[in-house]
Amino acid sequence: MTPHQRRLRLDLAATRYLDALEREDFDAMAELWRQAGEDHDLEEALHELHAGLVEERQIEQARRDAGALAEAVAKHLPSAEIIRPTTDPITVADVAEALFRQPPPRLPPEAHALNEKLRAAREPLPEHLGLSKLITWAEAKFGRAAREYWKAFQQAAIDLELRQASEAEYRMAARPTPRKEGQP
Amino acid sequence: MRTEATTPGAPPDDPVRAALDDEQSRARLCVQARAMLHRLPAGQREPLAEDLAHEAIARALRGRDNYDPAKGTVASWLGGILIHVVRDHFRSLSRRPVALAPGDADGWERLAVDLSSADDKGQGGFADIAPFVARLSPSQQELVRLRFWEGLDSASIAARLEIGAIAVRVRLSRTLDKLRRMLSNQTREVGR
């Protein structure tokens, strides 16, 4: 068995375990624990899964608590302004900035020049575009570039989106709104 | 068979006691119990998870003569005991599993075959599974790409996505389960 095959086997076993856990299929869970008794990596994968699930629920709970708190503040403290971190859409400039900081190798000079221009483009990125559609959209707006550049651009956009998604715990603060003129 | 580190002070011939003296082993049992009680609200889940983990520890101590090192590690034996404890608890409440196991051997089989093929042949091997991967969310597609196309391990994926390694495990399992359901549905539709 190659290392890749072994990892695939572990991934599948962990997935089966998650499925059994969510369906409360105790026989299937017990069988996987029996297998884990002879396979240290599987045992670790199951522990990881438990820890990940608990962490996931803690984040969900924190979100719910924050939502309830925000609702209570809005209801009972109308003079307070709730500040939430922005979840602005990713812009072309955000992606270009990421590429500027970590430029992909072997890009032609024209691509670097275009990227420099895009660092000032505050336009939101359209969601879920495939590479061809992204190229069509972007070249119509910003000009042509090598396909490699747009591939790297798309990759950087996905990385940014994932990073934004993983910032699950939103911080929240309440503070008094500045009094409007003329108010006591 | 693997041997496990014994805790200083624990009897050398009693691996169960040694494991139960180990704080990490006990903490892992509590985490497993919390994960298994996922349907309960947090207020009920936390204290019950503690109780059931303690019950599992008590059962393990009472039945430690039954532990057979030839059949696996103490940790896996304890994990198995906790599963029985949680099942007994649900039975005492006359609670039935939410969804009985549908089997779905076809879906699992197809998922294993398609991903092995992708793994063996690289990007070209994705042909069979590509239409299903395309229906995943962008972040799930990225996960599949990093794992099965680029062949990265969990730590590298975690670093690339700037998330924890344990989050990678859960997200990967959810993604593969979603793929498995899609494959299974398609097999059923074709069979009609």
Side-chain angles (χ1 to χ4, degrees):
Chain A
M1 192 184 282
T2 66
H4 281 260
Q5 286 168 334
R6 174 153 177 71
R7 204 164 56 198
L8 174 60
R9 206 183 65 75
L10 275 179
D11 287 344
L12 291 173
T15 305
R16 275 178 181 269
Y17 186 79
L18 178 68
D19 172 60
L21 196 142
E22 293 193 329
R23 286 186 296 102
E24 295 178 356
D25 182 342
F26 296 104
D27 291 335
M29 279 189 264
E31 170 54 24
L32 283 157
W33 267 112
R34 193 198 58 72
Q35 292 174 23
E38 295 163 349
D39 184 338
H40 175 67
D41 292 336
L42 178 57
E43 189 183 302
E44 282 305 309
L46 300 188
H47 285 308
E48 264 180 23
L49 204 53
H50 291 146
L53 287 169
V54 168
E55 184 183 76
E56 200 178 73
R57 272 161 214 143
Q58 281 169 344
I59 291 171
E60 277 168 24
Q61 187 62 43
R63 269 191 201 153
R64 272 199 297 272
D65 291 348
L69 183 61
E71 204 175 303
V73 168
K75 190 174 173 187
H76 300 293
L77 277 175
S79 63
E81 182 188 2
I82 298 168
I83 308 295
R84 295 183 175 87
T86 55
T87 49
D88 290 340
I90 294 165
T91 64
V92 172
D94 294 335
V95 182
E97 188 62 34
L99 286 176
F100 173 74
R101 278 185 275 113
Q102 284 186 315
R106 294 184 296 280
L107 273 189
E110 309 85 72
H112 285 287
L114 179 66
N115 195 64
E116 195 53 39
K117 181 178 149 190
L118 296 191
R119 286 174 71 199
R122 295 283 152 205
E123 206 149 348
L125 210 58
E127 281 183 32
H128 304 169
L129 283 189
L131 182 60
S132 306
K133 284 185 181 168
L134 172 75
I135 294 176
T136 310
W137 175 83
E139 291 195 341
K141 280 187 175 298
F142 307 111
R144 293 183 63 79
R147 189 176 172 82
E148 286 65 37
Y149 172 75
W150 294 120
K151 273 174 89 171
F153 186 93
Q154 187 193 34
Q155 184 56 51
I158 290 173
D159 287 348
L160 280 176
E161 187 198 331
L162 288 167
R163 211 167 301 153
Q164 198 179 61
S166 67
E167 286 168 3
E169 288 180 67
Y170 83 80
R171 293 178 299 280
M172 190 176 70
R175 66 180 183 198
T177 309
R179 291 216 171 114
K180 287 178 190 157
E181 274 180 43
Q183 276 189 344
Chain B
M1 190 197 82
R2 288 189 299 117
T3 55
E4 291 176 80
T6 53
T7 307
D13 56 347
D14 193 344
V16 174
R17 267 284 306 281
L20 292 176
D21 283 348
D22 177 41
E23 203 172 311
Q24 193 193 16
S25 299
R26 293 197 306 271
R28 281 181 156 184
L29 274 179
C30 283
V31 170
Q32 181 182 344
R34 274 188 225 140
M36 290 178 72
L37 298 173
H38 58 99
R39 292 191 195 281
L40 297 183
Q44 289 176 34
R45 185 171 60 230
E46 296 302 318
L48 183 58
E50 293 274 321
D51 286 353
L52 296 181
H54 281 125
E55 170 61 22
I57 290 169
R59 270 197 211 181
L61 281 172
R62 285 196 300 269
R64 63 185 186 274
D65 292 342
N66 298 328
Y67 169 64
D68 179 359
K71 289 186 178 169
T73 60
V74 181
S76 66
W77 185 69
L78 293 173
I81 289 178
L82 181 60
I83 287 170
H84 289 298
V85 168
V86 175
R87 172 160 51 191
D88 291 349
H89 173 75
F90 284 170
R91 279 184 180 157
S92 73
L93 302 174
S94 305
R95 178 175 157 167
R96 291 180 177 279
V98 174
L100 290 172
D104 190 23
D106 289 346
W108 289 110
E109 180 64 24
R110 272 201 65 187
L111 182 64
V113 169
D114 287 359
L115 286 175
S116 308
S117 170
D119 230 13
D120 292 344
K121 299 177 201 163
Q123 190 182 346
F126 266 103
D128 290 341
I129 207 168
F132 300 98
V133 174
R135 283 158 54 190
L136 296 170
S137 72
S139 56
Q140 288 175 324
Q141 290 182 34
E142 176 67 354
L143 204 50
V144 170
R145 194 181 67 75
L146 293 174
R147 182 64 138 198
F148 300 105
W149 185 340
E150 292 195 17
L152 298 187
D153 60 19
S154 296
S156 307
I157 295 174
R160 184 79 77 88
L161 302 184
E162 297 184 7
I163 57 175
I166 56 173
V168 171
R169 171 58 68 199
V170 176
R171 287 187 195 190
L172 192 60
S173 291
R174 288 205 194 289
T175 302
L176 294 184
D177 202 36
K178 196 167 167 186
L179 272 177
R180 190 262 306 175
R181 284 168 208 268
M182 287 182 199
L183 292 168
S184 175
N185 286 343
Q186 196 223 25
T187 308
R188 251 182 263 138
E189 279 166 19
V190 168
R192 270 182 203 155

